[in-house]
Amino acid sequence: MKIRYIVYIAIALIIGYLVYNKLHGDNKKNSTEQGGGGGKNTKGGKKGGPVPVMVQIVKDTVINTTIDITGTIDPNERVNLISQTAGNITAINFTEGARVTKGQVLVKVYDQDLQATLKQNEYQITLAKQNEFRNRTLLEKEAVSRQEYETSLSEYNTLRAQADVTRAQIARTIIRAPFSGIIGLRNVSPGGYLSPSTSIATLVSTNPMKVTFNIPERYRSLVKNGSKITFNTAGSRKNFTAIVYAIDPAIDPASRTVNVRARAANPNNEITAGGFAKINLILEKSPRTIMVPTQCVVPDLKSSKVFIARNDTAYAVNVKTDNRTDTQIEVTEGLKIGDSIIISGIIQMRPKVPLKIVKVLH
């Protein structure tokens, strides 16, 4: 009896499953057929309708080709002051960190022995000159031989040359500023012994300053004497300008770069020597250039193309491109001023596709 009830229950479950599957299967099929038909109709509607797009009117654009590089800042002139002679320092005539002028006496070295030698030479020159004059007079009267006269003349000239040597030695005991500038910290003291290997101080000329930097080889033809650069330093938020005045004629074979040097005015000493310069270099300015959004340009096997809108219809135009920025690309051929270039819906664009212009950018 119990087995019979189990069989009845199993048969009922099977029949219920078949009925449920029949009813829901038919509904799903009908829904699919209806959905498929609707999809075809919708697809057909999209295919035949205009594509909504935004367009941009092509116009002239000023484009600057710039690169950001780093450089070093150097003084216009810099020299390590040393003496050409040895001796005790008798005077120091400058203040550390002060401005000095060209020709100003900075240090004086003992020269009393040289002064005495010069005075002795001058006495000997006076006597030799008198002797030369006397022998010249006697030679005219044929009272002395020409050999005697030439001997006295040679003695006179020799003493004059010795005096010139002594004067040169005395001049070397005076250290002067070779140019106007700011003198640094001194390394000597009054009374100390100064030798040619001793550094006295460093003299720098800080106005103007030199900015030296390297540019890639491919930009060499775009940089010329007179080119303007803008830079700033870590010690100041101010932007400074400099003018290129020298370009190395050779390319560094290791880095493939060219050394360039510019001169920056520094009347207020705002630029510090030895610092780094963050440089913005304008390489080229094209006043009549067509720039379009990068996404507008569709690459092709042989060229690139863009789509323009004309009479609410899309047309493909082959173009040639050149410089790029982060968001734009330069078009050198294929477009003209006033064209309406399509900037949205590019993936749906095909030649002769009908358009619905929703926005125009100028």
Side-chain angles (χ1 to χ4, degrees), residues 145-202:
S145 65
R146 175 164 291 278
Q147 183 178 2
E148 289 180 280
Y149 168 71
E150 290 179 351
T151 300
S152 62
L153 177 61
S154 175
E155 182 181 359
Y156 172 58
N157 289 334
T158 299
L159 290 171
R160 290 177 60 192
Q162 290 176 353
D164 289 339
V165 171
T166 304
R167 290 189 187 96
Q169 292 173 338
I170 293 173
R172 286 200 293 266
T173 65
I174 303 174
I175 294 87
R176 301 178 182 271
F179 51 82
S180 298
I182 297 175
I183 197 163
L185 306 181
R186 61 182 172 91
N187 303 313
V188 295
S189 300
Y193 186 80
L194 186 63
S195 67
S197 61
T198 303
S199 172
I200 299 171
T202 300

Side-chain angles (χ1 to χ4, degrees), residues 89-299:
I89 298 173
T90 58
I92 295 178
N93 301 322
F94 67 88
T95 302
E96 295 171 294
R99 178 170 291 277
V100 298
T101 57
K102 181 178 180 179
Q104 178 179 331
V105 176
L106 303 177
V107 176
K108 184 71 178 70
V109 176
Y110 177 81
D111 67 347
Q112 293 301 312
D113 53 344
L114 295 174
Q115 294 287 356
T117 301
L118 178 61
K119 186 174 291 187
Q120 181 183 12
N121 287 343
E122 289 173 347
Y123 289 147
Q124 292 173 340
I125 289 172
T126 301
L127 293 175
K129 183 178 181 180
Q130 293 174 354
N131 188 39
E132 184 272 335
F133 176 75
R134 182 169 50 254
N135 285 341
R136 180 160 29 100
T137 302
L138 294 174
L139 178 63
E140 293 173 355
K141 297 179 180 181
E142 297 183 352
V144 296
S145 65
R146 175 164 291 278
Q147 183 178 2
E148 289 180 280
Y149 168 71
E150 290 179 351
T151 300
S152 62
L153 177 61
S154 175
E155 182 181 359
Y156 172 58
N157 289 334
T158 299
L159 290 171
R160 290 177 60 192
Q162 290 176 353
D164 289 339
V165 171
T166 304
R167 290 189 187 96
Q169 292 173 338
I170 293 173
R172 286 200 293 266
T173 65
I174 303 174
I175 294 87
R176 301 178 182 271
F179 51 82
S180 298
I182 297 175
I183 197 163
L185 306 181
R186 61 182 172 91
N187 303 313
V188 295
S189 300
Y193 186 80
L194 186 63
S195 67
S197 61
T198 303
S199 172
I200 299 171
T202 300
L203 177 64
V204 296
S205 174
T206 58
N207 185 30
M209 298 290 272
K210 295 176 181 177
V211 182
T212 305
F213 55 95
N214 298 330
I215 60 171
E217 176 186 1
R218 64 181 179 275
Y219 296 134
R220 171 61 183 85
S221 62
L222 301 179
V223 179
K224 301 177 178 61
N225 287 346
S227 296
K228 185 177 179 180
I229 69 170
T230 303
F231 70 96
N232 55 59
T233 63
S236 175
R237 295 183 179 180
K238 181 179 177 180
N239 287 329
F240 304 96
T241 59
I243 305 299
V244 173
Y245 73 92
I247 303 173
D248 198 319
I251 297 172
D252 187 339
S255 62
R256 310 308 303 175
T257 59
V258 179
N259 288 331
V260 181
R261 182 167 287 171
R263 189 178 284 117
N266 188 33
N268 300 321
N269 290 325
E270 296 176 289
I271 308 173
T272 305
F276 280 98
K278 298 178 182 178
I279 302 169
N280 180 260
L281 177 61
I282 299 177
L283 296 172
E284 191 176 36
K285 179 178 288 188
S286 304
R288 297 185 60 83
T289 301
I290 293 176
M291 299 294 293
V292 300
T294 306
Q295 73 271 16
C296 297
V297 181
V298 181

